[in-house]
Amino acid sequence: MKIQNIEFVGLRTPLPSPAVFSWGTAEERNVGLVRVVLSDGTEGWGETSVTFPLWSLEERAATVRGIAPLAVGSRLESTDDIARIASELIRSTNRLRLLWSATGISAAIGAIEMALWDAWGRVQGRPVWEILGGADTDIPLYAVGFGGSPAEVADTATGLLEGGYAAVKIRAGFDPEADVALIDAVSAVAGDRLYVDVNMGWTRLQASEMIPRLNPFGLGWLEEPLSRDDREGLRALRDLAEMPLAAGENCYSESELVALAESRLVEVLMPDLARVGGLGAAIAGARAARANNQGYSTHHYASDIGFAAMATMCAVVGNPRPILRDVSPWPIRSELLSEPLRIEHGVARPYAGAGLAPAPQPHIIEEHRVL
């Protein structure tokens, strides 16, 4: 059996209300999918990370179309072939990664690799987590994607925690006084079940000023306080922070993710399958974290195709910290799939059908497709 075709499918939908991050505001959201078709007609679907900027959808479409010919025609007869194809794509694009965009290329390869796993699971008639020796297990979730005044956010957090979510996460990296006021309000109801994500929004100086102010809140973790490449700055913060630090979602290669785990600069490693290069790279990073006595929490901020892949990874590696569940109003997240995922009362279980995730619904793709 061979890979017959690789196609990029780009969707875009308006948001009911803008999503605000320390690096910008999004009024629309993208979904970047890759469809692989095998020579026997089997399809597999993967997802890439195209949240922001909005034009990343066009960039990723061009990247997937550019590298797809390197994989089309390749043999797919075992799980080893998936790893081989992904490795060949990485090796074949090494110079291009240096000349242009390592991030976009890794994210494109990750979507292709996920689609290959999905297709292989369908060929075998088994869930991918089962093929990889994983277990059908409960996966705790934390909720993110809700806003309002500090009092409103605290009320929403209370409801989510009472509804079964293991934790809640809010975003910071804006005005320092507003950040502290929000954290104060939510920590009063969440305690150490509150995670704070700065989205790389602080300089070293800002972080050194803010962390002592946040230490008394006893946060569950502080996420991405600095730029992804500032390891020395992170090392300095490690001595300053009394709360666990989390990072890794913006690692764009297996080697970078594993190196972060082995540095022991964070207590929680956060692999993002749609960015780091796919399921295999994310599993390697999570296993490196566990080998270095760290926790891991997979990251995915897009549709439920990628979420299902994230749950598969957790079923294979086992014992994750709570993982991200976006609860913001965005109907396509779940409507895209032909059947709902197993998520109830703040707990997920891996997809029980063949492949990585339920197949997307053609009419939803048709309604929102822009590329």
Side-chain angles (χ1 to χ4, degrees), residues 8-341:
F8 185 84
V9 177
L11 315 179
R12 181 170 290 151
T13 66
L15 290 173
S17 58
V20 181
F21 306 86
S22 62
W23 37 258
T25 299
E27 296 183 350
E28 297 177 286
R29 279 182 71 173
N30 298 323
V31 178
L33 305 177
V34 167
R35 177 170 61 186
V36 166
V37 182
L38 304 183
S39 54
D40 70 347
T42 301
E43 291 187 357
W45 291 83
E47 184 165 12
T48 187
S49 177
V50 286
T51 301
F52 196 86
L54 199 63
W55 48 259
S56 63
L57 190 70
E58 285 76 11
E59 172 271 312
R60 203 60 40 78
T63 302
V64 170
R65 291 166 185 161
I67 67 175
L70 300 173
V72 170
S74 297
R75 182 185 72 253
L76 182 59
E77 297 175 355
S78 71
T79 58
D80 290 341
D81 286 333
I82 298 175
R84 174 185 55 79
I85 292 166
S87 295
E88 288 176 355
L89 285 173
I90 293 169
R91 184 173 61 254
S92 298
T93 56
N94 269 341
R95 183 171 297 181
L96 188 59
R97 292 160 66 93
L98 295 173
L99 291 172
W100 182 53
S101 170
T103 56
I105 291 171
S106 289
I109 292 172
I112 293 171
E113 190 250 27
M114 277 189 266
L116 291 174
W117 276 113
D118 188 42
W120 184 249
R122 295 179 190 281
V123 168
Q124 297 298 308
R126 300 167 63 193
V128 172
W129 57 264
E130 183 179 275
I131 293 172
L132 290 173
D136 186 359
T137 186
D138 287 348
I139 302 167
L141 307 177
Y142 70 82
V144 68
F146 53 99
S149 69
E152 290 169 335
V153 174
D155 286 345
T156 302
T158 298
L160 290 164
L161 293 170
E162 290 177 348
Y165 281 90
V168 293
K169 186 168 82 175
I170 58 176
R171 299 185 179 105
F174 307 101
D175 174 76
E177 300 309 317
D179 285 347
V180 172
L182 178 60
I183 293 167
D184 185 24
V186 183
S187 68
V189 300
D192 64 2
R193 294 197 290 169
L194 172 61
Y195 307 153
V196 174
D197 188 356
V198 186
N199 290 120
M200 303 187 293
W202 289 337
T203 64
R204 290 189 189 184
L205 177 60
Q206 289 170 323
S208 68
E209 293 172 344
M210 285 296 292
I211 285 178
R213 299 182 67 181
L214 302 187
N215 278 335
F217 293 115
L219 301 177
W221 74 53
L222 180 67
E223 184 176 333
E224 287 199 313
L226 299 174
S227 174
R228 59 181 281 268
D229 57 354
D230 190 0
R231 298 293 171 83
E232 288 306 311
L234 196 59
R235 192 180 308 279
L237 296 188
R238 177 64 278 144
D239 296 330
L240 189 64
E242 296 175 6
M243 75 288 284
L245 297 181
E249 70 184 73
N250 286 300
C251 289
Y252 285 89
S253 70
E254 178 181 327
S255 60
E256 183 183 4
L257 187 65
V258 170
L260 179 58
E262 292 177 345
S263 73
R264 301 189 181 186
L265 293 177
V266 296
E267 283 81 8
V268 182
L269 191 76
M270 306 188 77
D272 189 312
L273 283 73
R275 299 176 185 176
V276 75
L279 186 62
I283 288 173
R287 286 176 170 163
R290 294 193 64 185
N292 284 277
N293 298 314
Q294 299 159 316
Y296 77 93
S297 171
T298 53
H299 179 277
H300 176 71
Y301 191 70
S303 86
D304 275 352
I305 289 179
F307 182 91
M310 182 168 68
T312 292
M313 175 196 150
C314 293
V316 173
V317 179
N319 298 314
R321 298 284 182 91
I323 69 172
L324 184 154
R325 183 61 180 169
D326 180 15
V327 298
S328 65
W330 190 46
I332 195 175
R333 180 191 302 110
S334 56
E335 290 178 355
L336 179 62
L337 300 185
S338 55
E339 61 181 279
L341 298 180

